[in-house]
Amino acid sequence: MASAIIVFSHLRWDFVFQRPQHLLSRLAAHYPIVFVEEPVCHESKTFLTTYSPAPNVLVCQPHTPVNMPGFHDDQLPHLQKLLRQLVRDYHDHIAWFYTPMALPLLQEMQPRLVVYDCMDELASFKNAPKQLLQRESALLKVADIVFTGGQSLYRAKRDRHPNVHCFPSSVDATHFVQALDRSNSHPAHKDIPGPRLGYYGVIDERFDTELIARLADAHSSWQVVLVGPVVKIDPATLPQRTNIHYLGQQPYHALPNFLAGWDVCLLPFALNEATRFISPTKTLEYMAAELPIVSTPVTDVADAYSDIVAIAHDAPAFIAACEAALLASPEEQETKIAAMRRVLASTSWDSTVEKMRALLDSAPRRQPHALKVSTPDEPVVNINRLRQHEALKFARTAIIGAGPTGLSAAYHLGHEAVLLERNSMVGGWCRSIKDNGFTFDYAGHIMFSNDPYVLELYDLLLGSNVHWQDREAWVYSKNVYTRYPFQGALYGLPPDVIKECITGAIEARFGSLSKSGTGSGTAPSKARAQDCCADGGVALPDSKVAALERRNPANFEEFIYQVWGAGIAKHFAIPYNRKLWAVPLNEMETSWLGGRVPLPNLEEIIDGALQPVGKPMGPNARFGYPLRGGFQALMSGFVPHIKGTIELNAEVTHISPKQRIIALADGRRYQYDNLISTMPLPELVRMIGDEAPDEVRQAAEGLKHISVRCVNLGVARQNITDKHWIYYPEDTIFHRIFVQGNASPECNAPGGFGITCEITYSPTWKPLPASGKELIDRCIQDCIKVGMFRPDDKIIAANEIDMPYGYVVYDHARAKNVDTIKSWLAMHDIILAGRYSEWEYYNSDHAFIAGKKAAEAVKWVEPKKSALAAE
């Protein structure tokens, strides 16, 4: 087993996310990390609290009755006792120091290696302990390896130790390139106009407050945005101006959103002993955002990046450099950006860690000695303390799944929510991917809603990154295109087809009424009128419903014949819905279509058969879509607004409602007070396992769904169609094509055009006929067959996406099965929210509201829990 790394740090893990967190969270893939912080004062007791902020990382917070800062000498007897207990679970370990002040604790250890990662010249900082220089000299004598955080520190230490290696601050470029989507600005900027000149980081004695004051005074229209905690200096000494905005410490995941809203990035460091050796991590992060940077002449910045960063030696020069940055021509900006990209291409935290790891693994190990860590009445026990304490992570409210429902729930809940997402990005089935310059969604998605609150959310999440357009939805059958919905736009079809459709619609209406013996007997519909695509996307404005005496259809197939008649059923509704649902239609019930049977508007059907239909019909006749970033942009728009914790790559493997514990695949465990699940209902029951009674597990096994496989294709030709999506009821492998390239032109690669072919399948009723290259080739051939592609089109992007849970099937057993499961889960305070957890037919706007309602349910039940606990 790999050696554990026991780290002693002067910085707390949950402080500003910087070098220690970057390095150690990556080293945790290879070594257990035990991160020991400076002690916290407690009235009378000495004890250790722990938590796990990342896989394989255990943060230890000593509590002692000594009211002295840091690793003070008076703290040592208490810390030695705690460390003695801790190291017995990590017999094979490496000692790693960020502060030399913890060196006396080394006597309680038998490390195989001693590492000193010198990230700052701490002796030069304000309020530095007097013993620090002496202890650093001692640490340099016993250390096996010394790392430095920049060239200045390397030059200062290289003659004091034989094994010093320079590893300057690096960058997680993947994280910070999110700032390139300038529309995804942090909501804190809402009331701060531009131009914005920004800085994030610690505001302490290294920060030039006078320079900031002069910068703000020079241009009252400039807005200076300062993000970060104020430490070691009196906040009252900070300059106060109407155009200086102190936004406090912000989470690491939100920093790209701040950068997205800035015009110039600042490095306004004072020139003093505390900044003599600094190598600011944020320099490369600013570069990843491709923004102009202005800095004071900090040595490591000036020496390495003076061709990219504007270096200003005094306040007038700093102000002038900011002016020049704001007025730079596109050519000047591109030159700087090209230089930034060259720098970023040669460095990353991942590569830094791999080089460090090679040095750690190749370094000669100290010979182990007998380690007596037990007292006579306290035997040594072989406990994996890391896993033990990971089980104690706590979430006031845990939310499973960061799709639109889970994101909405986390947004509406606030600080105490922990959002668990098994993928590496948020969005669920509303994610987007990139391939060779194209952006493709997980199936086609659009924005439309009649709910004013959802429309406000769209504006909040996307701002100006959205455009609205009139829908161009069509049906391709009989070798011709007709507008969607089929029954309202028959013009252009063969005359015999039109005749059958109109005759069938008339018979469906008046035949039913004559049987009822009630004359006209119709009343305005209160049901949710559906079109014959059964996708909830259109409602005819003057639909009628049958009188109550009329027999309700026994299944979905009968519904189609009753509502639209034999002609529309034959030529579109039956073949299309069989293709879409991949389920025998007579096995589907009709409650999801509305409580009573809607009848067609004959006037509109006849009118749409005699002449072309000019305007789209239905609630999504006009829809929105993000200009940049695909539908993912709408999902990612939630992130800066979420005040709780988002855990990515957090795959849930087990849930215990009795113990209120969630177990993750990486070994972490969360205890929760409240649980909101957005995962598919059968998966949730499977995760619960034997704790669920037999009837609940059987009900979950009885729930039916169909899956969707999407084939994304990009061709080297522009503007191949003016349509947004097309339904294909006849002989193609796909039932629908979503024209990704027309959702937004930004989804297309230069000179190209992208589409998504959607294919439903079910192992029981309609197995997927092919996969991989064979499936892609069949889609290409069918695109040629229906005229979407030309035979000579060059395919420059091709991939497939699988959605195991696509559509909920409303079979005749669904309602009973869902009710059985929901009733039992409600007894255990598990709140179900969203399409797959409620086992309902939801659009994304419904999902937003479902998340909001779930959050409100938690807020409603919390006071009642507190009241019961108090009784």
Side-chain angles (χ1 to χ4, degrees):
M1 188 178 80
S3 300
I5 299 179
I6 301 178
V7 183
F8 299 95
S9 175
H10 60 293
L11 299 171
R12 300 200 181 279
W13 186 277
D14 62 358
F15 191 54
V16 175
F17 200 92
Q18 50 189 305
R19 180 184 179 93
Q21 293 93 329
H22 279 296
L23 294 176
L24 297 171
S25 60
R26 288 167 171 81
L27 285 168
H30 310 285
Y31 316 89
I33 304 296
V34 182
F35 188 85
V36 182
E37 297 184 347
E38 293 181 337
V40 176
C41 185
H42 186 271
E43 289 181 1
S44 58
K45 294 182 180 179
T46 296
F47 60 95
L48 197 69
T49 60
T50 62
Y51 71 96
S52 178
N56 223 20
V57 175
L58 181 72
V59 174
C60 302
Q61 297 177 329
H63 294 251
T64 76
V66 178
N67 190 18
M68 298 299 291
F71 293 98
H72 190 275
D73 286 352
D74 292 350
Q75 300 277 11
L76 294 179
H78 302 274
L79 297 178
Q80 286 165 347
K81 175 184 176 182
L82 295 174
L83 187 62
R84 196 176 303 132
Q85 297 169 1
L86 184 64
V87 297
R88 70 182 182 183
D89 293 323
Y90 303 99
H91 181 74
D92 191 327
H93 58 263
I94 296 169
W96 184 297
F97 290 88
Y98 278 105
T99 172
M101 290 301 296
L103 181 62
L105 297 174
L106 194 60
Q107 63 183 324
E108 301 299 329
M109 308 169 67
Q110 292 288 345
R112 305 299 299 275
L113 283 176
V114 177
V115 178
Y116 177 28
D117 187 14
C118 181
M119 63 179 286
D120 282 306
E121 192 66 271
L122 296 179
S124 299
F125 282 21
K126 188 175 183 178
N127 303 327
K130 294 180 180 179
Q131 309 101 310
L132 203 150
L133 283 175
Q134 180 183 358
R135 288 199 182 162
E136 185 186 54
S137 296
L139 178 55
L140 288 168
K141 289 179 181 179
V142 301
D144 298 294
I145 305 174
V146 176
F147 300 135
T148 68
Q151 288 291 341
S152 296
L153 281 170
Y154 174 73
R155 289 190 290 268
K157 308 300 178 188
R158 64 184 175 186
D159 294 331
R160 301 180 62 191
H161 193 278
N163 194 18
V164 182
H165 303 270
C166 181
F167 287 107
S169 295
S170 192
V171 65
D172 182 358
T174 302
H175 180 63
F176 285 95
V177 295
Q178 297 177 77
L180 298 181
D181 180 2
R182 306 297 192 219
S183 66
N184 198 20
S185 176
H186 196 279
H189 293 144
K190 182 178 180 181
D191 297 322
I192 303 175
R196 304 185 193 104
L197 293 78
Y199 163 88
Y200 62 72
V202 180
I203 300 175
D204 56 14
E205 76 276 15
R206 295 170 294 174
F207 189 80
D208 194 336
T209 56
E210 177 60 27
L211 176 61
I212 289 297
R214 295 184 64 177
L215 181 68
D217 291 340
H219 291 276
S220 60
S221 63
W222 290 1
Q223 306 300 315
V224 181
V225 180
L226 305 175
V227 175
V230 179
V231 299
K232 294 189 289 183
I233 61 174
D234 184 357
T237 65
L238 297 175
Q240 302 297 322
R241 306 286 191 277
T242 58
N243 61 334
I244 299 179
H245 309 272
Y246 297 97
L247 302 184
Q249 184 172 342
Q250 299 288 337
Y252 176 73
H253 68 73
L255 296 183
N257 304 107
F258 281 100
L259 290 172
W262 294 350
D263 300 286
V264 179
C265 293
L266 306 177
L267 295 172
F269 291 108
L271 300 181
N272 53 35
E273 279 300 305
T275 60
R276 182 180 172 193
F277 298 102
I278 65 171
S279 179
T281 305
K282 62 187 66 62
T283 309
L284 294 178
E285 294 169 353
Y286 287 170
M287 289 188 194
E290 298 184 357
L291 289 167
I293 307 168
V294 179
S295 176
T296 54
V298 176
T299 300
D300 278 12
V301 176
D303 286 354
Y305 308 122
S306 59
D307 59 327
I308 298 173
V309 179
I311 306 298
H313 292 265
D314 56 25
F318 197 94
I319 294 165
C322 292
E323 292 170 341
L326 290 169
L327 296 173
S329 67
E331 293 75 20
E332 292 172 317
Q333 294 173 5
E334 283 302 318
T335 300
K336 288 283 180 72
I337 288 172
M340 292 176 180
R341 291 173 179 171
R342 287 193 295 271
V343 169
L344 296 176
S346 64
T347 183
S348 71
W349 286 115
D350 290 335
S351 63
T352 296
V353 163
E354 285 307 306
K355 292 172 185 175
M356 284 184 168
R357 184 183 164 215
L359 290 169
L360 294 175
D361 291 346
S362 63
R365 289 317 200 242
R366 297 169 181 240
Q367 290 302 312
H369 302 287
L371 185 60
K372 296 179 181 179
V373 296
S374 62
T375 60
D377 60 342
E378 189 180 23
V380 175
V381 181
N382 183 19
I383 298 175
N384 186 338
R385 187 175 294 271
L386 187 65
R387 291 296 184 219
Q388 178 187 19
H389 286 289
E390 282 179 342
L392 299 177
K393 285 198 80 172
F394 177 72
R396 176 69 64 192
T397 301
I399 305 168
I400 301 176
T405 303
L407 289 165
S408 175
Y411 163 69
H412 288 98
L413 269 172
H415 290 88
E416 294 186 322
V418 176
L419 180 57
L420 303 172
E421 169 55 48
R422 67 177 181 175
N423 295 298
S424 60
M425 62 196 303
V426 302
W429 290 152
C430 291
R431 304 198 305 278
S432 304
I433 66 167
K434 294 185 181 296
D435 185 1
N436 202 24
F438 292 91
T439 298
F440 297 106
D441 296 333
Y442 273 65
H445 297 292
I446 59 172
M447 297 159 49
F448 70 97
S449 182
N450 293 323
D451 191 304
Y453 185 77
V454 173
L455 296 175
E456 288 179 14
L457 266 183
Y458 290 157
D459 184 58
L460 173 74
L461 301 177
L462 289 176
S464 61
N465 184 31
V466 65
H467 68 131
W468 296 86
Q469 51 194 314
D470 291 333
R471 182 193 75 216
E472 289 294 334
W474 294 74
V475 178
Y476 184 83
S477 65
K478 321 301 179 190
N479 296 316
V480 297
Y481 286 102
T482 55
R483 278 196 181 275
Y484 164 91
F486 179 87
Q487 70 278 4
L490 300 173
Y491 182 82
L493 289 167
D496 289 347
V497 172
I498 295 175
K499 177 183 176 181
E500 285 186 60
C501 290
I502 293 177
T503 301
I506 292 171
E507 290 175 348
R509 181 182 181 110
F510 295 108
S512 297
L513 291 173
S514 63
K515 288 179 184 178
S516 69
T518 59
S520 61
T522 60
S525 176
K526 295 182 181 178
R528 184 178 67 165
Q530 297 286 325
D531 76 295
C532 54
C533 293
D535 64 0
V538 67
L540 299 182
D542 296 319
S543 295
K544 305 290 184 182
V545 293
L548 294 175
E549 293 85 353
R550 185 182 185 192
R551 183 180 68 83
N552 285 329
N555 55 61
F556 183 31
E557 183 167 340
E558 191 172 300
F559 171 94
I560 290 172
Y561 281 104
Q562 281 193 22
V563 171
W564 304 114
I568 293 171
K570 171 185 174 182
H571 294 291
F572 182 80
I574 294 293
Y576 178 78
N577 281 294
R578 282 177 178 167
K579 198 174 184 183
L580 167 69
W581 288 104
V583 175
L585 302 184
N586 60 6
E587 294 188 15
M588 295 177 65
E589 48 97 351
T590 61
S591 64
W592 59 294
L593 297 168
R596 293 177 290 176
V597 181
L599 294 173
N601 182 307
L602 290 176
E603 182 180 346
E604 290 185 352
I605 290 177
I606 294 170
D607 188 58
L610 294 175
Q611 60 184 335
V613 176
K615 62 178 182 177
M617 303 160 62
N620 63 6
R622 186 164 177 80
F623 70 92
Y625 190 87
L627 276 170
R628 295 170 299 279
F631 212 72
Q632 178 73 52
L634 182 63
M635 300 297 103
S636 298
F638 273 109
V639 173
H641 298 275
I642 291 175
K643 297 181 174 63
T645 302
I646 301 174
E647 292 277 7
L648 301 177
N649 301 307
E651 182 178 357
V652 175
T653 57
H654 181 68
I655 299 168
S656 172
K658 292 179 181 178
Q659 300 180 64
R660 294 179 181 257
I661 287 177
I662 299 169
L664 304 183
D666 59 19
R668 287 180 291 161
R669 289 170 177 259
Y670 279 89
Q671 188 138 32
Y672 63 85
D673 271 354
N674 309 292
L675 176 60
I676 297 174
S677 174
T678 72
M679 70 176 359
L681 202 50
E683 295 297 308
L684 174 63
V685 175
R686 185 176 65 81
M687 298 292 179
I688 293 171
D690 292 343
E691 283 192 29
D694 289 342
E695 62 269 22
V696 170
R697 296 201 302 272
Q698 290 170 7
E701 291 174 0
L703 294 178
K704 301 295 189 294
H705 69 279
I706 58 172
S707 305
V708 177
R709 183 71 57 90
C710 293
V711 172
N712 299 312
L713 301 171
V715 295
R717 178 162 60 92
Q718 295 178 297
N719 303 319
I720 65 174
T721 180
D722 60 353
K723 298 171 176 58
H724 290 116
W725 61 89
I726 305 140
Y727 300 98
Y728 293 90
E730 297 174 348
D731 187 24
T732 56
I733 194 169
F734 41 78
H735 66 273
R736 190 177 84 144
I737 286 180
F738 180 72
V739 185
Q740 188 78 57
N742 279 339
S744 171
E746 295 288 333
C747 292
N748 294 319
F753 199 90
I755 66 168
T756 296
C757 303
E758 299 175 19
I759 305 149
T760 55
Y761 68 95
S762 163
T764 303
W765 298 291
K766 178 189 168 188
L768 190 67
S771 62
K773 185 177 185 302
E774 183 182 353
L775 182 66
I776 290 171
D777 288 344
R778 286 192 60 176
C779 286
I780 293 171
Q781 291 304 313
D782 280 355
C783 283
I784 294 172
K785 181 171 70 176
V786 298
M788 180 62 68
F789 289 170
R790 298 192 305 229
D792 61 345
D793 273 330
K794 180 181 178 182
I795 306 298
I796 55 177
N799 61 73
E800 59 177 338
I801 293 172
D802 192 52
M803 301 167 63
Y805 286 87
Y807 294 96
V808 170
V809 173
Y810 281 69
D811 66 353
H812 299 287
R814 173 197 162 276
K816 181 180 178 181
N817 287 332
V818 170
D819 184 63
T820 298
I821 299 168
K822 284 185 175 181
S823 297
W824 184 80
L825 292 173
M827 294 168 54
H828 294 273
D829 298 328
I830 296 177
I831 297 172
L832 303 176
R835 180 176 193 157
Y836 301 112
S837 208
E838 296 182 66
W839 214 245
E840 295 281 0
Y841 189 26
Y842 282 170
N843 294 323
S844 60
D845 61 330
H846 301 140
F848 289 171
I849 296 300
K852 180 174 183 287
K853 288 180 177 178
E856 289 168 348
V858 168
K859 293 176 180 178
W860 181 84
V861 79
E862 274 293 314
K864 291 173 175 52
K865 286 183 179 178
S866 300
L868 288 172
E871 291 179 359

